[in-house]
Amino acid sequence: MAEIRPKVVESGETLPAIVYGSEYINNEISCTETIYILEGEKGLYKEDPDFPTLVIGGRYGGSSSETFYRVDFANQQGDSEPVYFPVIRNFIYTISIDSVSGPGYSSAADARSYYPVNMFTGSYILEEFTLGVSDGQYILKLTQGGYELRNQVYNQNHSETNLNIQTNHPDGWRFTGITYEDSGDMGWLRFCDTGNSGTHRDNDKGGQGELSRRRLWLDDYTPAAGQTSRVANLHFTAGRIEATIRVEQLARPSAP
């Protein structure tokens, strides 16, 4: 699937809206991993015309006419005023459509210009996640797709093995275990929290929308003759979604 990315513009220059058509919709349910937007300052109030928004078109209740809904980058609790947030580069923003109670505006231009109506959404920010796996409806995201580490002990003092996990699946995510490429060299990798205990979290899990912070602990590595590295894979699921993170520990030591 082709990607459409906004181009860099000169200061003061404006561009027309980027349109993502039906080819970006998965099973008429969701649009994932294909939308790129420009940075933008957060809105100051709900009628502010300049802050970033999404405009989503759809046919409500089986109608043959398409109408349009505005979705702001904001969180709102009940009848309270919405709290807006900016759009920042290298961040992932997940917005779920929780319900639609009626038709939207008759045109995309009107939807962009007026306050959102008849669509209720939830949103949260995923900070700099690099691996995202989707089943077309839900998505499982992790901050690392893999690790290449030197030959040393990694523990609570090594933030480079941090791993954050988040999903919008109603059942949350689950850690299903570690597999080792060398059955004669196992147990050297542990999936832990970010505290000091180093306790392996077997069958660990996290709830929907929860940002789970974990850290990998590794033992020292004494390679056999001719060995250049050892490899293990961590496995995660969220509903039908499966994700694997490859961890390779090199035989060469850390630089002095």
Side-chain angles (χ1 to χ4, degrees), residues 138-178:
Y138 300 108
I139 190 165
L140 171 63
K141 293 184 179 290
L142 304 104
T143 45
Q144 294 289 337
Y147 297 82
E148 184 178 279
L149 303 167
R150 294 198 178 259
N151 182 4
Q152 66 177 58
V153 171
Y154 290 87
N155 53 32
Q156 73 273 18
N157 300 316
H158 296 87
S159 61
E160 61 266 44
T161 59
N162 284 357
L163 176 65
N164 295 345
I165 311 161
Q166 194 170 42
T167 182
N168 61 350
H169 194 283
D171 296 334
W173 64 268
R174 184 177 295 275
F175 169 62
T176 58
I178 301 175

